Amino acid sequence: MLTDAMKQDLVDANHILYERGVVDGFGHVSARDPDNPDHFWISRNLAPAMVAAQDLMCFDLDGNPVTDDRRSYLERFIHAEIYRSRPDVRSVVHSHSPSIIPFTVAKGVSLRPMCHMCGFLRSAPPVFEIRESAGDDTNLLISDSRLGSALARSLGGHSVVMRGHGLTVVGSTIRQAVFRSVYAEVNAKLQMQAMALSDDVIYLTEEEADTCSSTMDGQLDRAWNLWKQAAIQI
Ligand code: MN
């Protein structure tokens, strides 16, 4: 079972991701069960801003519901297969973060960390191309275990961008996965602005990225508490 604190964080995470513009009617956030690593918790099929504690459901790593059979997210297999393949991951956010999407389709350009809040992006998140797994007539959704597994295999350090679709970010806590999701969107906006000014943009080195990332991991609660308060006003 989720602890009461984790349940509260998972509900808050849904609201924060909406308030910060990372998700809208779509997108989802999950947490691995602290008692059973083969189970994870995520809302029933609902817009994130509408999620309350009673909407959380438990799933196994095949994407089957454990607690009840209310309608679930089509793309829950993203979460299931990442938890299966990455024991270090305890929270996953999947979004259609709008400023990320141009970087998934513009050839010759990669999302790369360019400010100190975004070191978790490391060298550049890989781009998942669903055509390589499922041909050229899909709906682009990760709607079964096979596609979830393909996406999980392409996950870089902490994130993967999905061509024509969005972003999936992982963390060792709910708060870290949310922080990374918010700042991936920030980095994408800043990178587009910098690229409009110059074709020679300076990015973080991998060493800077790792150092910045571990520094920011000690500061997550400051941002979380602010975002939580702002989200309550919605
Ligand atoms: Mn999606």
Side-chain angles (χ1 to χ4, degrees), residues 71-90:
R71 190 169 173 224
S72 51
Y73 290 127
L74 293 172
E75 292 195 293
R76 60 191 181 279
F77 304 96
I78 293 172
H79 305 258
E81 293 299 328
I82 288 175
Y83 290 126
R84 195 197 303 277
S85 69
R86 284 280 298 267
D88 58 309
V89 171
R90 305 197 74 82

Side-chain angles (χ1 to χ4, degrees), residues 160-214:
V160 55
V161 299
M162 303 152 76
R163 193 266 306 164
H165 184 161
L167 171 73
T168 296
V169 172
V170 303
S172 54
T173 64
I174 297 166
R175 295 183 183 203
Q176 187 188 50
V178 168
F179 181 93
R180 289 171 171 175
S181 302
V182 170
Y183 274 102
E185 170 69 19
V186 169
N187 193 94
K189 278 202 188 92
L190 293 174
Q191 189 176 343
M192 284 191 278
Q193 290 167 349
M195 292 175 75
L197 293 173
S198 167
D199 56 9
D200 191 11
V201 174
I202 303 166
Y203 298 101
L204 301 189
T205 64
E206 279 197 38
E207 293 76 14
E208 285 175 334
D210 286 342
T211 309
C212 290
S213 182
S214 42

Side-chain angles (χ1 to χ4, degrees), residues 89-103:
V89 171
R90 305 197 74 82
S91 182
V92 177
V93 174
H94 169 65
S95 72
H96 308 153
S97 197
S99 303
I100 300 290
I101 295 181
F103 290 96

Side-chain angles (χ1 to χ4, degrees), residues 2 34 39 44 73 80 85 100 104 110 122 127 142 180 197 200 209 219:
L2 287 184
H39 287 171
R44 68 185 173 94
Y73 290 127
S85 69
I100 300 290
T104 74
S110 296
R122 308 204 74 214
V127 180
I142 306 299
R180 289 171 171 175
L197 293 173
D200 191 11
Q219 303 286 324

Side-chain angles (χ1 to χ4, degrees), residues 7 11 41-44 46 50-57 67-68 70:
K7 197 176 283 186
V11 171
W41 292 80
I42 191 169
S43 172
R44 68 185 173 94
L46 201 61
M50 312 291 288
V51 170
Q54 64 267 24
D55 298 310
L56 301 177
M57 295 173 62
T67 42
D68 61 81
R70 288 175 290 175

